[in-house]
Amino acid sequence: MSKERLPRDLGEMLVKADSGLTKQVDITKVGRGAFNTKGASWLNSVVREFITGEYHPRKNAVDPFAGQGDMLILCESEFGMETSGFDIQDDLGWEVNDSLESIPRSVGAICITNPPYLAKYSAKRKSMWPMVGHYYEGSGRSDLYEIALDRCLESFDHIVAIIPETFLHSKYPKERCQRIVILEENPFEDTTFPVCVTCWVPEIGQDPTIYVADKKIMQFSKMIEIKGDVTRSNRIVFNDPDGNVGLKAVDGTRPDDRIRFIPGDEFDYPRSSIKESSRLMTYLDIPELDSRMKISKFCGRANEILESYRDRSEDIILSGFKGNNKEGRRRRRLDYRLGRKVILEALGVSVQTTLDLE
Ligand SMILES: C[S@@+](CC[C@H](N)C(=O)[O-])C[C@H]1O[C@@H](n2cnc3c(N)ncnc32)[C@H](O)[C@@H]1O
C-alpha cells in the first residue's frame, strides 16, 4: 500500500518529435488516468444482463480504481449492491491501495471498474515515466489498463471493466472474457477516447461475443477470421510519396467523408508530408496499375470491398478513432494490414477466405 498526495504538476508532452514541439499536460491526471465515468451509458442492456444473470445482484461491488465512485453509485441505485473501493489518491475517501501492484481479495464480490489507461510509449513521451514506468517493467504489457486487468483477474471471478476499444484488436488474452460491448456514446466527462465495456467470468475457454451498444455483432473468433492473415506483398509499397494511389485511412467528421482509395493525382494531400510512419493519409505504389483507367477501376473495386466489409462487420474490424462523426457514429481507421488485404482482393489475388462478397 502506498499513500500519495501529488501536486497538480504541469508537464511538457512532446507533440512532434522532429520539431521538438511540446504542449502542457496535467501529469497527475494523465499519469493516473483520472478520467472519471459520468452517467449510465456504460450500463446498457447487455452489461446489465451480465451483471444480473452471471452474477447475483444485491451482493458486493468493488472498484479498485474508484476515483469519484460514479460506477459504484450506479451499482447501488440499480442493483442495491453493497459497494467499496480503493484508489491510490488519498483525498478521495477510499481506502488507499496501489491496485496496479495488487488488489485485496474480497470473496464473492464483482469488480466494476474503469482503470487508468496509458500506453507505454505515451508514458515515455509525456514525461510520466518516473511516475508509472515501474509498473510496465517486467509486466510484458504495453498499457496500464492491461496491467490493471491482470490484477483484477487475479483477485476477482467476475469483472466489468471499461477499457480502450483497442483491446479488441490487441494481443491481450481473452480466454476469460465473455462479452465486449463497444460504446458509441462517450461515458466520460472530459475525454472522447473510444472505449468498450468488457465482462469477465472465472471459466476459461470463452469466445467473447461482440456488441455495438445493444446490438450483437459476432463472436471474437469470427472477427479474427474476417481480418484474415495476409503476408507482405511486393505488389504494393505503402507510404511512397510518388505512389499512384492515395489512401485516406481514417473517417472524417462528415458522415460522407469515409475511408477510401483515391487515384493519386486526385488526392488532395501533400506528397511531401508522407513519412515511413504515416498512418492516416498516405500514397501507395502499385506498379501493375499502369494507366489512369486501371487506377480508377482499382479504386472503385477496393472501395466496394472495403464498404462491404464495413457493412457486414458493423465496422468492428476497423480500429476506433478519437471522436465520433457528426451523426454520432464512431470514426474508424484502416490499419495497413487489413488495407493490404483489401488491396490484394481488389487486384484479384485470392487471399484467405473472409466474408462472402456478393
Ligand atoms: C479512470 S479513473 C476511474 C474512476 C472510476 N472508476 C470511474 O469510472 O469514475 C481512474 C482512477 O484510478 C486511480 N488510480 C490510478 N492509478 C492507480 C493505482 N495504481 N492504484 C489505485 N488507483 C489508481 C486514479 O486516481 C483515478 O481515480
Side-chain angles (χ1 to χ4, degrees):
M1 291 215 191
S2 64
K3 247 187 177 251
E4 70 164 22
R5 186 185 290 277
L6 289 161
R8 278 275 180 268
D9 279 345
L10 288 177
E12 295 295 319
M13 169 169 90
L14 192 58
V15 183
K16 276 198 177 150
D18 40 1
S19 61
L21 186 68
T22 59
K23 78 170 185 187
Q24 284 201 322
V25 291
D26 178 336
I27 291 202
T28 312
K29 181 156 181 149
V30 176
R32 292 290 175 234
F35 297 97
N36 289 299
T37 317
K38 287 287 166 219
S41 67
W42 64 272
L43 187 59
N44 73 356
S45 63
V46 181
V47 179
R48 189 179 286 274
E49 182 199 74
F50 174 81
I51 295 175
T52 53
E54 272 295 326
Y55 183 77
H56 304 291
R58 300 195 166 276
K59 279 199 185 168
N60 296 355
V62 178
D63 186 345
F65 305 92
Q68 307 292 329
D70 290 273
M71 295 183 79
L72 291 179
I73 292 170
L74 208 59
C75 287
E76 286 165 16
S77 63
E78 294 295 311
F79 308 114
M81 286 177 172
E82 299 265 316
T83 61
S84 57
F86 302 101
D87 205 286
I88 199 160
Q89 300 192 64
D90 66 1
D91 53 355
L92 296 171
W94 308 107
E95 188 176 328
V96 173
N97 182 59
D98 186 343
S99 301
L100 291 173
E101 290 291 347
S102 69
I103 305 171
R105 284 177 184 272
S106 38
V107 180
I110 187 168
C111 170
I112 305 266
T113 195
N114 165 29
Y117 321 151
L118 189 60
K120 191 172 171 179
Y121 74 85
S122 297
K124 288 187 175 161
R125 204 169 56 115
K126 294 180 188 172
S127 57
M128 303 298 158
W129 200 250
M131 187 179 188
V132 293
H134 61 285
Y135 294 122
Y136 303 95
E137 275 152 19
S139 74
R141 302 291 186 212
S142 55
D143 196 297
L144 284 190
Y145 86 81
E146 297 181 335
I147 299 167
L149 275 181
D150 284 344
R151 298 293 87 80
C152 292
L153 288 162
E154 277 161 17
S155 294
F156 298 91
D157 282 350
H158 294 91
I159 299 155
V160 172
I162 305 178
I163 54 177
E165 198 199 294
T166 47
F167 165 76
L168 194 59
H169 302 284
S170 77
K171 293 195 175 77
Y172 192 89
K174 297 176 177 63
E175 70 256 17
R176 282 180 57 194
C177 187
Q178 196 209 60
R179 48 186 89 182
I180 302 171
V181 181
I182 295 172
L183 292 184
E184 286 202 326
E185 199 183 321
N186 175 30
F188 305 121
E189 58 183 349
D190 46 7
T191 170
T192 56
F193 204 75
V195 289
C196 58
V197 187
T198 53
C199 302
W200 306 75
V201 291
E203 301 82 21
I204 56 168
Q206 304 292 319
D207 179 11
T209 311
I210 306 170
Y211 299 80
V212 173
D214 295 331
K215 186 172 172 193
K216 180 172 169 175
I217 309 297
M218 63 181 73
Q219 301 304 125
F220 178 75
S221 57
K222 179 72 184 167
M223 186 196 80
I224 295 296
E225 193 189 316
I226 292 171
K227 286 175 71 177
D229 200 8
V230 199
T231 46
R232 291 193 169 272
S233 165
N234 55 12
R235 293 168 72 168
I236 319 154
V237 182
F238 276 83
N239 296 337
D240 178 347
D242 300 320
N244 51 4
V245 174
L247 171 59
K248 183 178 185 300
V250 66
D251 287 332
T253 49
R254 277 195 344 262
D256 62 346
D257 183 12
R258 290 168 73 79
I259 300 169
R260 62 191 178 279
F261 295 88
I262 306 157
D265 53 10
E266 292 171 26
F267 190 32
D268 183 20
Y269 187 75
R271 291 181 180 269
S272 56
S273 302
I274 302 301
K275 297 192 206 102
E276 242 177 74
S277 57
S278 296
R279 287 290 173 271
L280 303 180
M281 304 283 183
T282 195
Y283 287 87
L284 323 165
D285 198 44
I286 309 178
E288 66 203 79
L289 303 178
D290 54 8
S291 70
R292 293 188 87 150
M293 168 89 102
K294 284 188 192 166
I295 292 170
S296 163
K297 268 195 163 168
F298 163 83
C299 290
R301 178 80 187 126
N303 289 334
E304 225 175 77
I305 293 170
L306 179 62
E307 284 298 333
S308 169
Y309 276 133
R310 294 191 69 161
D311 190 38
R312 285 144 199 263
S313 72
E314 299 268 351
D315 273 2
I316 63 167
I317 57 168
L318 301 177
S319 315
F321 191 70
K322 54 179 178 254
N324 288 353
N325 73 15
K326 289 179 179 156
E327 282 179 346
R329 292 299 311 270
R330 170 90 21 102
R331 291 166 69 195
R332 297 279 163 183
R333 183 174 69 79
L334 176 68
D335 67 65
Y336 289 176
R337 189 168 161 273
L338 187 56
R340 192 179 304 121
K341 182 170 188 228
V342 170
I343 294 165
L344 288 174
E345 286 184 22
L347 291 174
V349 180
S350 86
V351 283
Q352 184 203 321
T353 22
T354 54
L355 284 176
D356 311 326
L357 290 169
E358 278 154 358

